[in-house]
Every structure is written in C-alpha cells, then in structure tokens.
Amino acid sequence: MLTAADIVEQVRAAAARNSALAICAGGSKDFLGRRTQGTPLDVSDLRGIVHYEPTELVITARAGTPLAEIEATLAERGQMLGFEPPHFGPTATLGGTIACGLSGPARPFRGAARDFVLGAKIVNAKGEMLSFGGEVMKNVAGYDVSRLLCGAYGTLGVVLEISLKVLPRPASEITLALELDEGDACARMRDWQRAPLPLSGLCYAGNRLYVRLSGAEQAVGAARRRLGGEVDMRGAAFWEQLREQRGAFFDGGGELWRLSVPPTTHALAVTGQQLIDWGGALRWFKTAQDATRVFAAARAAGGHAMRFRGAADAQQIFQPLPAPLLALHRRLKQAFDPHGMFNPGRMYAEF
Amino acid sequence: MTAALDHDRHQAQHALAEALRAILPATAVLASDESLRPYECDGLSAYRQLPLAVVLPETVEQVQAILRLCHARMIPVVARGAGTGLSGGALPHADGVLLSLARFNKILSIDPEQRIARVQPGVRNLAISEATKPYGLYYAPDPSSQIACSIGGNVAENSGGVHCLKYGLTVHNILRVEMLTLDGELLTLGSEALDSAGYDLLALITGSEGMLGVITEITVRLLPIPERAQVVLAAFDAIEKAGQAVGDIIGAGVIPAGLEMMDRLAIRAAEDFVHAGYPECEAILLCELDGTNEEVSQHILQVRELLLAAGAIEVRTERDEAERLRFWKGRKAAFPAVGRLSPDYYCMDGTIPRRHLPQVLKRIGELSREYHLPVANVFHAGDGNLHPLILYDANKPGELERTEAFGGKILELCVAVGGTITGEHGVGMEKIDQMCVQFQAAELQQFHAVKAAFDPDGLLNPGKAVPTLHRCAEFGAMHVHRGQLAHPDLERF
Ligand SMILES: Cc1cc2nc3c(=O)[nH]c(=O)nc-3n(C[C@H](O)[C@H](O)[C@H](O)COP(=O)(O)OP(=O)(O)OC[C@H]3O[C@@H](n4cnc5c(N)ncnc54)[C@H](O)[C@@H]3O)c2cc1C
C-alpha cells in the first residue's frame, strides 16, 4: 500500500531532479482545466477513511479514497456530504473532488465544497508533510490553508488527507416541477429564495422549473402546498443527472460552458442554449461562441466563466484574472511551490 | 538614556504626524499621548501599547495614501475595527501607525432581491441585521459582541456566534471583500456570484487577523429571517450528561440554530446578574431550533425526548418571545456576569472534538485547584468551542502571570485532544506562544511564506498571529505531534 511517506519520497526525488509532477488518482476529472505536464504522481492507493465521528459531523479520509465509498459510509449513518459533489465517474476520489472544488445543485442552500473543509494534510514542494486546520468546526489558528487548497487543482501541494464537516440527511425530500417561461421561473426563484422555505435545489431546464424541498417531513409538506406544481417522480435521479451534467441538455458533443454569476443576472450576452441552476447563480451554456466573448459576458455580469467540456486543448479554460490578482496568484503559488513542480499550468498558463 | 530614547521617539512621532497631516485632514490624525490612549488596547486589556500615531481615514484613497507613506518609510501598520478583539490583534505597534476603520461606517447598499448587502468595514455587526430586517433578511453570524464589533474585525477574525452551528462562521456568510495590500494595491476577492476564478483568496483572507491586507469593503450574504425560533432549556445534575445530550441531538440528525452550555458557576453568575430564571444545577443546555413553523414543532418534540433520555432533570420550552430573550440574555451576558464575581477575568477560546468534553472539563477543574483560580465555563457546545473564564485579580502580585500560565495549559490541553488553541477569537498577541505547540516549524514557515506573498516587507500587524521560529525556540514548547492525536492518551493528564 502507498503511504504518505512514499509520496514525500517521490516529491523529494522529483524536486531533486527538478521535474514537474502531474498529480492524479481516479482520472474522472482529467477533462477539467488545462492540460498539465510532468511525471504522473498517482495517489489513488493512498486511501481509506481515517476517522468518522457521526455525532461530531466529521469525517477524515485519505485523498485517494473513492468518493462513492465515503458517501456510502455516511449514508449508513444517515449523513451526507452537504455540497453534493459531482463524481464524473465511479473512480472519483476525495482528493480530486476537493482539488477541483466543484459543488452540486445544493450549493446555494447548503454551501460549497470549501465551506465544508475543516482541515487538510499536504506535502509541499520541499517534501514536507504539513497539517492545517483539523477536525473541529471552529478553528482560526493560522491562515486557512485547507480552504485555499479547495479548487486549487493540486497546484499548491499534494493533498494527503482531508477532514470534512458532514450533514444529516434530510428526513424527507421531494421534487416539484412547474411549467413556466424563463422570466416567470426566474422571478419565482428570486422570490422563493427570499422566503424561509426548505429549499435544496432550484433549476430551470427545458421550460420547467424544478424545485427540491428537503427537511423535516411537515416542513416539506407545508412548502409543497405553498409552492404548487406537480411532483416529479424522477426525484433524486433528476438532481443526480444535473449534478453530473448528464441528460437531455448536456448530452451530445460541442462546447459546454459554466458561468457563475450573481443570481439575479438577466440576459447574458452569450448565444446558444442555456440551463439555469443554483437558483439563478449558475448558467450552463452550449455555445460555439468565441471564448473571449463568453469571458467578457461573464465579467460584464460580475461573474466568471469556465470552459467546462469540449475544449480540452484550449489555452484559456478559466476566466482570465485581472493583472494584480494574477500577480498575487503567482506569488502565492511560489510560497508553496517555488519551482512550479505541482500540476504546472493546470489552471493558468502563468503558474 | 531613557530620556534620549524618549526624545528620539518624540521626534519620530512628530515627523510622522507631520507627514500624515500632509495627506489627511487634520482631524484624521492623532499623535498626542492623551489622544492615543483610547487606542492602546483592544478587548484584551492586559496588553497595552501606545502607537506613534492613530489615523482615522474616511476614504479608500486616504487609506491608500497612508499605506503608501508607511510603506515608503517602512513603518508598521495595525488595522483596528471596534477594538473588541480578545487576543490583542489590534494592539498597536510601538513604532507604528494604528489605522482605525471606525469612520468607514456606512452601509453602501442593500439588495433584497439578491440577498446581499455591501458595507464598509467599520459598520457594526448588529447594524447590518437591523438595516435588513425590513426586507425580512438578516446577517447570520452573531458574536456576543455584535452590538459593538465591526464587520471588518469579524472578517479579520472569522468570528462566530451562537448561531454558527447551523449557519456557519463569517467565512460562510461573505461573498466579496475589497482589500488594500500594504503597497496600496486595491484587490477584489470573491464576487457577487457564489464562486470565483482562481484560488479561494476570500477564504484565505477571512481570519487572517489583519496580517495580509486592509479590508475596505465587504459584501455579505443575507438570509431570510426564519419563520419561527424557539428555545428549549435543559438542566442537568452532571456536566457529562449535558455533553452526552449534545452528541445525541446532533447524532439524531437535528442541527439546532444554537446549542450552548453553561456550568454551575456561570449559571449562578448569570442568574445573579440578569435573573434569566435558570434552575440551580450543574449544567444547563440552551437549544434553539428554528425554521418553518412545522419544522420547529417537530424538532422541539424530538429534542425534548432526547434531552430527557440523556438524563435532564428538567426541560423547559420557552412560552413566549419574552422568555426566549430572557433565556438568551443570561447566556449572552455570561461574560459581564462572571466579571461581577471577580475584579478580572480571562477568557479562553479553545475548541475540542466534543467527545472529549467530560475529560477536558475535569482536567480544567483540576488545574483550577492547582493554580488556585476559579473557572466558569461557558461554551458553544454544539461545535466544541470552549470559553473557560478564569477569575483573577490583577492587583494581586503574580496573579496575572499565574492566570496566563493556567490559560496556556488549557490551550495545550485542547491541542492534545486534537483541538485548537482558538476557535474564534484569534491568535493575535495573546496565543502566539501556543502556536508553537499547535504547529510544527515547517507549518509556521508556510504561514510566513503566505504572509510574504501579500506583504513582503512584513509591515502589516508585525509580530502577531504567527510566531517566528526563534520565538518558539525561546518558548521551548514541545510540539505535540498530531499524527498521534487520533487516539489521544488521556491518561497522561
Ligand atoms: C464581550 C465580548 C464578547 C465576544 N463574543 C464573541 C463571540 O461570540 N464570537 C466571536 O467570534 N468573537 C467574540 N468576541 C471577540 C470580538 O468581538 C471579535 O473578534 C470581533 O470580530 C472583533 O471585531 P472588532 O471590530 O472589534 O475588531 P478589532 O478588535 O478592532 O480587530 C480585530 C483584528 O482584526 C483586524 N482588523 C480589524 N479591522 C480590519 C480591517 N478593516 N482590515 C483588516 N484587518 C482588520 C485587527 O488588526 C485585529 O487583528 C467578543 C468580544 C467581547 C469583548
């Protein structure tokens, strides 16, 4: 079995050779982000749940632990990962999930991946094993490096172990669907999010507004009566498809863009078909439009865009950063990885 | 000799004040000892220091000019919000400028549709919820100091409150921060969208204790005010049973909005002070449930049963809003209430994995007897954040030192069971030596490298939050190796 010490050794050896490392595990998220170069550093054998304490809502697992294993373990105790992470295949691991930092349809209501990260162990470019945060809910000792790792695509270090806050599964859940035009649907999403309702999903796709309600049984029942619409029998299956970007809208080739914008954004200057998730804050576009235009449209709306699928070799996958921020990113990268060893160029060409 | 030093300091002060007055309105620069006095400490008054000057800018351009001037002259800068911090984070630097954000006190905009508010850093925490109440919205993190503390200070400390078990800390409730780095560059971290391109700098800056930049604007996320909130109060004849009840409630899948515990001494103090109507017992739990009407009804029944099963000797459900406020009043006033029992008290802030609560409380009791100092325990039980309050008298020679030594032991105890030296009050000046216990040298070096990426000259709040390795060597702390903490050997206490 691979151990943390083995990884430390591999990192030190690579540092001595001055060669780059491409950190990998299940490969389920290889399609995301820019291509990187370097000797593969496979952490998929660094696996296993280290510690799970249901009454404290905390789980700690090694980076290579399959996401499915973690979710199954939590489910046995009536718990779940609050951020509803996409898997993109059965090989998905916890490390890759946190490194990419993506969250599913529940994001606006329960929080993002980074919101649930409590601690992490990493190996930095000097081959030192470092530990940040921990297993407690509140911890402000030192800078919050564990959250910084979330969504850093492995560019700051090799993640060995992660501690996450988990949530109880809701006692009851229901999915409603309402036939509405886009304007109406957006207005309702806006209004409902201002009200104290047990929402856990709000998506507009194909002229239908899908609403997921989760919580105590009577609360879900009362909200259902209030919101109207009909029960969609696909229920959980619908949200799982959405989480994985599968189904009618997503299937088929072409470029898929992810635009994260303020939830009340009206029309975006992007052509092509749109699907709205996160109560308005996430827009998926199937478009062949020029990348610079899509990035410009996202920026104009106060958000950012990412080329999600279908442009693997593109230079610019993530929204270009303003110059002062880019400079800060480079300095931070250097603070962890001065010689650019980990996943170079995975996010931006510059680091 | 001292006269010569005094003279030098006076000259430096004079020159700095002149330079500052050249870029700021006269009323925005304070430099006489008398006018500096109110700024010599934050909420941790055991540490005091006069800065060379205090500045009270009102615009981002003014802050920018101050920072550029200090950068050019290599003068340390310490940002200050309302000065309610409990770890000496806003303690001035003897050779530096204290930058007060008190005049940045405007709520810039409220967007009820988007459920956000843009505010300046000096706005008081409670003022946000007051201003957004007409829209049926509120800002969730509610530190007990919320009538006074600033939102900028909250971001710098990643403050929590009694409702953070369910609604999260500051980091979970802000969307965007505008910040100036020491060289005067204005950065926007985060956005009105739910995530941003690049590294999560918003998370990094939250809780960074004024070490990385000066926050000049914050966009907070607002939540709909819950339809109903109700408190259940449970009395226990043993603190262990109360601890067990906390685990039972959370394990059963109920996440209360707040779950707070107080021990006998704290209960008595609160009762004497605000007459909250608390029963006489070893421990009480206050459990607030909120949500939709139906949800609360259902959860109240469930929680009552769990509390009784865990051995509560009495369980009361609040009858009306007045009683709810009274229940909370005792808890929220616990610090000042304890303050009435003793000339001084020292508030600790460790967090532990909750399952270790009984052992940790027992050990704190033993230490209390060893150091001859009483302790009242008030804590955010739901998330294991302890606030032992050590009662002492600063006028008695040696008592402050004994109190600090005792406090240090409590923090080390928290680290030894897998917790942390600070859950929400920050490291500041106060817990800097205990950082050497919680972190290894390489981790501290990594923190210094992060700091240098923002502030290469180390001029922002120098000497706080992260100790130098040299300091750790002097402190002589043994790092408790965390690899072994999954199964802590509690016997050795
Ligand atoms: C009675 C009492 C009860 C308390 N209860 C709680 C509680 O329940 N939960 C909790 O978390 N805390 C609590 N605190 C601690 C304190 O109120 C918080 O830490 C609060 O966030 C500090 O805010 P402030 O505006 O007073 O900041 P200050 O004390 O002025 O500063 C705190 C730190 O923030 C930095 N800072 C301030 N403003 C800025 C800025 N604009 N840019 C960059 N850095 C800045 C300072 O340099 C300093 O390091 C309590 C304090 C008291 C006195």
Side-chain angles (χ1 to χ4, degrees), chain A residues 161-284:
Chain A
E161 203 176 290
I162 297 147
S163 299
L164 293 174
K165 178 183 178 179
V166 300
L167 290 182
R169 273 176 179 279
S172 101
E173 195 159 276
I174 195 173
T175 298
L176 305 174
L178 295 87
E179 191 96 34
L180 293 169
D181 68 33
E182 189 178 316
D184 258 357
C186 287
R188 290 209 199 183
M189 288 198 277
R190 210 172 51 221
D191 294 346
W192 290 344
Q193 289 181 85
R194 280 182 65 179
L197 289 165
L199 296 167
S200 66
L202 272 178
C203 165
Y204 182 68
N207 290 325
R208 288 166 87 80
L209 176 58
Y210 296 89
V211 189
R212 183 170 56 180
L213 300 167
S214 313
E217 206 160 314
Q218 302 182 11
V220 169
R224 182 197 158 181
R225 287 187 293 278
R226 175 166 163 194
L227 302 189
E230 63 194 61
V231 176
D232 188 298
M233 295 321 276
R234 283 172 301 170
F238 170 83
W239 299 100
E240 188 179 321
Q241 290 236 313
L242 177 63
R243 182 192 82 195
E244 299 295 327
Q245 284 90 56
R246 280 193 267 110
F249 175 84
F250 297 101
D251 291 345
E255 263 196 69
L256 178 67
W257 282 82
R258 174 190 189 274
L259 275 75
S260 177
V261 293
T264 50
T265 301
H266 283 292
L268 274 158
V270 181
T271 55
Q273 259 183 296
Q274 183 189 211
L275 180 145
I276 306 178
D277 194 8
W278 289 7
L282 190 66
R283 315 287 174 105
W284 294 99

Side-chain angles (χ1 to χ4, degrees), chain A residues 63-77:
Chain A
T65 314
L67 192 54
E69 180 184 328
I70 290 175
E71 291 185 334
T73 305
L74 294 175
E76 276 171 29
R77 304 298 299 262

Side-chain angles (χ1 to χ4, degrees), chain A residues 29-51:
Chain A
K29 295 165 187 68
D30 279 353
F31 72 93
L32 290 170
R34 298 176 80 253
R35 292 203 190 287
T36 183
Q37 273 144 31
T39 318
L41 174 65
D42 187 349
V43 299
S44 51
D45 279 342
L46 189 72
R47 64 168 75 186
I49 292 169
V50 180
H51 184 219

Side-chain angles (χ1 to χ4, degrees), chain B residues 4 30 43 72 108 120 139 182 198 216 242 270 294 318 324 343 348 351 357 391 421 471 480:
Chain B
L30 310 177
L108 300 170
Q120 290 189 322
Y139 175 66
L182 195 89
T216 56
E294 303 79 10
E318 137 242 312
R324 181 170 90 94
M348 312 305 301
T351 305
L357 196 63
L391 310 191
I421 58 172
R471 186 176 176 121
V480 182

Side-chain angles (χ1 to χ4, degrees), chain B residues 285-333:
Chain B
L285 265 187
L286 285 168
C287 176
E288 178 162 303
L289 298 154
D290 74 359
T292 61
N293 209 358
E294 303 79 10
E295 199 172 10
V296 174
S297 303
Q298 198 174 326
H299 282 159
I300 291 262
L301 287 178
Q302 202 179 344
V303 164
R304 281 185 66 96
E305 267 172 37
L306 288 165
L307 287 167
L308 290 168
I313 50 176
E314 190 185 338
V315 180
R316 292 186 205 160
T317 306
E318 137 242 312
R319 279 159 306 194
D320 51 27
E321 182 69 7
E323 193 169 41
R324 181 170 90 94
L325 294 179
R326 203 163 57 243
F327 282 174
W328 275 124
K329 198 170 166 194
R331 166 62 188 91
K332 291 213 170 185

